[in-house]
Amino acid sequence: MAVVPKPEPQEDVLPPAPAPAKPKPAVDPKAREAALKEISGYRVVTAWSIHRWPLEKRIVHERARVYLPRTYRARHGTDVRTVWPGTDINQFVHKHYCEDKAKRAREEWPNYVAGEAILAKRHEYLGPDPRVAGYRIDADGDYHVKWYDAFLKDQWVDDQKWDFDVRLNAQGKWVEVDDVDP
């Protein structure tokens, strides 16, 4: 009987070290400004006026709360409403702001559309030309309306202003990044 030696364990061969990462190309400031101008122009065009019926559907997939400011930059608080799965949030916001407002509120808050406040609607207290530019979803899944006022050229959500920036993605295309502090 022949004696066969026990096979010795062999070390696995490690893969070669990865090549050093290529340095990111320098961002051309003119290209960045052009992309920012183009994307902000698109955002302005797609923001829908609150006193008109929204053309786009945005369906909520789970129960959430929507924070709806009562006046411009929520100086007089916000109304919190619950939306259920299957609700079109754009239609929900439109219906909320097209309701008549109580007479008491008409006398206390500035109406930017009609000074006499004849049959004032809720949207008339948000500014001269309020438009919905989108929604910010917080950590709890609640929706906050992003407003853009075409007359004032102002962007705000709840009681603060919002802005956005552009960055290059992995494919080298400009994409928007929301909620950058101005």
Side-chain angles (χ1 to χ4, degrees):
M1 185 162 171
V3 177
V4 179
K6 180 177 157 186
E8 294 291 324
Q10 296 181 352
E11 292 185 16
D12 292 332
V13 178
L14 295 175
K22 295 178 184 176
K24 291 185 179 180
V27 176
D28 181 20
K30 288 183 180 179
R32 183 186 165 286
E33 288 300 320
L36 183 62
K37 184 177 180 181
E38 179 183 345
I39 292 174
S40 64
Y42 176 76
R43 277 198 163 195
V44 168
V45 169
T46 57
W48 55 276
S49 187
I50 193 67
H51 66 277
R52 299 185 191 264
W53 190 257
L55 298 176
E56 178 183 283
K57 284 189 173 223
R58 184 165 293 178
I59 305 298
V60 177
H61 297 290
E62 57 186 40
R63 182 181 166 273
R65 290 181 300 235
V66 180
Y67 290 82
L68 304 162
R70 294 183 189 133
T71 58
Y72 175 71
R73 293 202 49 198
R75 290 189 175 120
H76 295 284
T78 58
D79 294 327
V80 181
R81 302 283 188 257
T82 302
V83 291
W84 302 97
T87 303
D88 181 356
I89 193 167
N90 285 342
Q91 290 180 10
F92 182 84
V93 170
H94 171 74
K95 287 177 185 175
H96 174 81
Y97 283 108
C98 285
E99 291 178 359
D100 293 339
K101 192 64 188 139
K103 183 177 180 176
R104 183 181 58 81
R106 283 189 240 151
E107 296 167 358
E108 295 174 12
W109 303 338
N111 185 326
Y112 293 98
V113 177
E116 297 83 29
I118 302 169
L119 295 175
K121 306 287 185 192
R122 285 186 174 147
H123 70 81
E124 295 178 6
Y125 299 99
L126 295 174
D129 190 13
R131 297 168 182 254
V132 176
Y135 301 94
R136 180 176 58 94
I137 302 172
D138 63 15
D140 296 328
D142 297 338
Y143 286 78
H144 301 265
V145 182
K146 287 184 177 180
W147 296 99
Y148 170 75
D149 195 299
F151 182 79
L152 299 174
K153 306 287 189 240
D154 191 17
Q155 302 173 7
W156 55 281
V157 59
D158 294 336
D159 62 346
Q160 56 193 337
K161 293 189 180 239
W162 65 272
D163 200 3
F164 71 98
D165 198 5
V166 292
R167 298 235 166 55
L168 283 173
N169 66 3
Q171 290 81 25
K173 294 182 180 179
W174 291 102
V175 294
E176 55 189 281
V177 180
D178 273 338
D179 293 327
V180 176
D181 293 325

